[in-house]
Amino acid sequence: MFDDMDELATDYDERVRKAREQKGLSQSDLANELNEKASLIRKIERGDTLPSDRVQSKLERFLEIDLSAEGSSGDDSEWSGGSSSGSYTLGDVVKRKD
């Protein structure tokens, strides 16, 4: 079910801010263009909130950017640690704070 969904890039906030600034828009201007609240744009640019799919689409179309994780670096690559048998325990995953 979730295989069709794109993951949001970890630097989505920076991408939105840079694209907005390149167009010479204030946060209020961008909010008006997208018919959204300026407070939402501020929260997105600070990384305090994730944009909904609808807002993400609006941002990508208007700012001509891609906010999906596919275009970003391989920081989210699959973890390869654990036992050779392929089964993992909690101890394989958790780091202790000793």
Side-chain angles (χ1 to χ4, degrees), residues 52-72:
S52 66
D53 291 341
R54 182 180 55 79
V55 172
Q56 180 180 343
S57 294
K58 286 182 181 182
L59 287 165
E60 288 176 331
R61 261 194 318 271
F62 185 77
L63 295 175
E64 300 172 356
I65 58 175
D66 182 14
L67 296 177
S68 66
E70 290 176 357
S72 62

Side-chain angles (χ1 to χ4, degrees), residues 7-22 45 60 63 65-73:
E7 286 187 42
L8 194 62
T10 55
D11 64 341
Y12 72 92
D13 50 345
E14 190 176 320
R15 292 183 190 189
V16 170
R17 182 184 50 79
K18 282 183 179 179
R20 175 185 57 78
E21 289 174 348
Q22 285 178 348
E45 288 189 6
E60 288 176 331
L63 295 175
I65 58 175
D66 182 14
L67 296 177
S68 66
E70 290 176 357
S72 62
S73 63

Side-chain angles (χ1 to χ4, degrees), residues 4 8 14-15 17 23 29 34 41 45 50 53 56 60 71 73-74 82-84 87-88 95 97-98:
D4 298 351
L8 194 62
E14 190 176 320
R15 292 183 190 189
R17 182 184 50 79
K23 287 192 174 265
D29 293 338
L34 301 179
I41 302 301
E45 288 189 6
L50 298 173
D53 291 341
Q56 180 180 343
E60 288 176 331
S73 63
S83 68
S84 59
S87 61
Y88 301 101
K95 290 185 180 178
K97 291 177 90 175
D98 295 342

